Amino acid sequence: MDDAPIGIFDSGVGGLTVARAIGDQLPRESLLYIGDTLHSPYGPKPIADVRRYALEVLDSLVDQGVKMLVIACNTASAAMLHDARERYAVPVIEVIRPAVRTAIATTRTGRIGVIGTQGTIGSGAYQDMLGIAPGVEVFTAACPRFVEFVEAGITDTPELLAVAEEYLAPLRAADVDTLVLGCTHYPFLTGAISYVMGPEVSLVSSDSETAKDVYRELVSRDLLAGADATPRHVYEATGADTATFTALANRLLGREVRDVRLVRTGAIDLPTTR
């Protein structure tokens, strides 16, 4: 048994969907979440920069004594998963493989769509993993503004719906029957995405499937928290405005995030707060 926290990392608030799923499936586990809000969004940034930012945040989580790392960011997973697994002694879980596994099990026609940031789609990570499944055709679309909408707390406006119509039109034309939400921010936009794609298209997100992988890994390594563990959920951010992070997290999750503290990671320079 191990009562150390599970470390969860994302470029912003999107990974809170994964943190919520882990907390729901493993209520005795402590969680330590870091959102790299100083550098969000990761999607349009060069892969080398994403890799550097992500490893600095993961270094900080390891320094704080986590027993597992969860990369709750598709762009970061595509950029540096191999590096992370070589760099750290603790197990590392990512969000791409669970979503791929579920999409393959879900599709009826073999026509699978994937939406994500420019970095995730450009990496080819989903295309490579889905492409090895027999009878599967993969269709992709980068949706860079979706992260901007979520980080601004916008999930239900006519402007968002118009952008969704534009981004998703090629996937509708491709007649996909399954759509992978290849960014942990996108589940917050499920209403708009489902409306545009139609009820016959199944949406796949990685949050609950990733939580299942976390559970399996903890059990296999005998790392589950003890029966008498008192769980603590701690939220950290690299940006300077914790009030904005807190308000947005509460709006999107419908639950109270009481406190978000600033964290300095590696070579990341934080703006001075006043």
Side-chain angles (χ1 to χ4, degrees):
M1 299 297 177
D2 190 332
D3 293 345
I6 298 168
I8 306 170
F9 151 67
D10 184 51
S11 61
V13 299
L16 291 171
T17 58
V18 177
R20 175 174 56 187
I22 294 172
D24 288 345
Q25 293 192 31
L26 293 159
R28 289 201 302 268
E29 298 293 338
S30 292
L31 308 179
L32 174 54
Y33 181 97
I34 296 183
D36 188 13
T37 50
L38 181 61
H39 298 107
S40 182
Y42 277 6
K45 290 182 169 58
I47 289 295
D49 288 347
V50 171
R51 179 182 178 277
R52 178 168 62 89
Y53 298 149
L55 289 174
E56 287 172 348
V57 174
L58 294 178
D59 282 351
S60 176
L61 285 168
V62 170
D63 288 345
Q64 293 184 70
V66 300
K67 63 183 176 184
M68 169 184 282
L69 292 169
V70 179
I71 306 174
C73 175
N74 287 262
T75 305
S77 293
M80 42 64 73
L81 175 61
H82 180 72
D83 297 296
R85 286 182 168 159
E86 286 194 340
R87 186 181 183 97
Y88 306 113
V90 299
V92 180
I93 302 295
E94 47 83 29
V95 291
I96 295 177
R97 193 175 303 275
V100 167
R101 189 170 59 234
T102 303
I104 292 171
T106 301
T107 185
R108 305 175 304 279
T109 66
R111 301 177 71 81
I112 298 176
V114 180
I115 56 176
T117 66
Q118 292 168 325
T120 297
I121 298 302
S123 74
Y126 276 101
Q127 297 92 311
D128 291 345
M129 289 189 189
L130 287 166
I132 64 175
V136 167
E137 291 184 84
V138 185
F139 306 87
T140 63
C143 305
R145 291 194 63 196
F146 278 178
V147 171
E148 297 174 14
F149 281 116
V150 172
E151 292 286 337
I154 300 170
T155 59
D156 57 358
T157 65
E159 181 187 8
L160 167 62
L161 194 59
V163 170
E165 293 272 7
E166 177 184 350
Y167 283 156
L168 300 175
L171 300 178
R172 292 183 63 191
D175 198 26
V176 302
D177 78 334
T178 301
L179 181 63
V180 177
L181 308 184
C183 175
T184 50
H185 285 70
Y186 294 0
F188 292 120
L189 306 179
T190 296
I193 294 170
S194 181
Y195 177 81
V196 172
M197 294 303 297
E200 69 281 0
V201 177
S202 300
L203 304 186
V204 173
S205 59
S206 57
D207 47 6
S208 61
E209 295 304 314
T210 299
K212 293 175 186 176
D213 279 12
V214 168
Y215 180 90
R216 282 190 287 265
E217 193 72 16
L218 292 178
V219 170
S220 68
R221 294 174 179 260
D222 195 25
L223 291 176
L224 283 172
D228 58 349
T230 302
R232 295 180 64 246
H233 292 185
V234 177
Y235 303 91
E236 298 180 341
T238 59
D241 189 355
T242 60
T244 298
F245 184 97
T246 304
L248 182 56
N250 288 333
R251 173 178 176 179
L252 294 174
L253 292 181
R255 64 177 62 183
E256 186 176 357
V257 176
R258 294 180 180 275
D259 180 59
V260 177
R261 64 192 187 195
L262 296 180
V263 59
R264 186 180 297 273
T265 59
I268 295 175
D269 294 320
L270 296 177
T272 301
T273 57
R274 294 177 184 271

